[in-house]
């Protein structure tokens, strides 16, 4: 949406909005991550981490536990993606809170 708006205005979209080029196997990790996000719970403090048990079960179903390195790579990728997701969510919640506080003044 932001990319389209920038292009429509004849501007370059912000670099942070341009998704990186990914190898096919990396795209698969991202797809799996978003699939696993359905197991995430949300609290008043924001989203919680994806449960380890969900990742482990998912890896078993996908057959990633047959090879130790595939399983380790999968679990590491999910932890990394989840950590980044949680950091971005925390920043967004702080922005929304600041915005709400400034409106109430």
């Amino acid at each position: 949406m932001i990319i389209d708006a920038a292009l429509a205005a004849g501007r370059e979209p912000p670099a942070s909005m341009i998704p990186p080029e990914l190898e096919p196997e990396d795209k698969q990790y991202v797809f799996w991550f978003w699939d696993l996000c359905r197991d995430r719970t949300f609290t008043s403090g924001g989203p919680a981490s994806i449960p380890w048990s969900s990742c482990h079960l998912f890896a078993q179903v996908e057959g990633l536990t047959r090879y130790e390195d595939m399983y380790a790579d999968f679990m590491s990728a999910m932890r990394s993606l989840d950590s980044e997701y949680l950091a971005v969510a925390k920043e967004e919640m702080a922005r929304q809170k600041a915005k709400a506080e400034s409106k109430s003044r």
Side-chain angles (χ1 to χ4, degrees):
M1 197 185 259
I2 292 175
I3 294 173
D4 293 337
L7 293 174
R11 297 184 187 155
E12 284 292 316
S16 63
M17 297 305 296
I18 300 172
E21 290 294 322
L22 297 175
E23 297 295 324
E25 58 272 11
D26 295 331
K27 287 181 183 179
Q28 186 64 55
Y29 282 123
V30 173
F31 178 79
W32 286 336
F33 170 74
W34 288 116
D35 203 25
L36 281 163
C37 276
R38 291 182 283 171
D39 286 354
R40 180 187 310 282
T41 58
F42 290 84
T43 67
S44 60
S49 296
I50 297 170
W52 176 89
S53 57
S54 294
C55 292
H56 178 72
L57 180 59
F58 192 91
Q60 286 180 315
V61 170
E62 289 293 326
L64 301 175
T65 55
R66 289 180 288 185
Y67 304 101
E68 189 174 320
D69 59 335
M70 287 177 69
Y71 177 75
D73 289 348
F74 170 78
M75 295 299 278
S76 177
M78 293 307 106
R79 280 192 304 272
S80 294
L81 289 167
D82 197 34
S83 292
E84 188 62 29
Y85 175 91
L86 293 172
V88 170
K90 184 177 180 180
E91 290 172 6
E92 181 59 25
M93 287 183 63
R95 275 194 294 276
Q96 293 296 326
K97 182 179 179 184
K99 185 177 176 181
E101 288 173 353
S102 69
K103 283 185 178 181
S104 66
R105 292 180 190 179

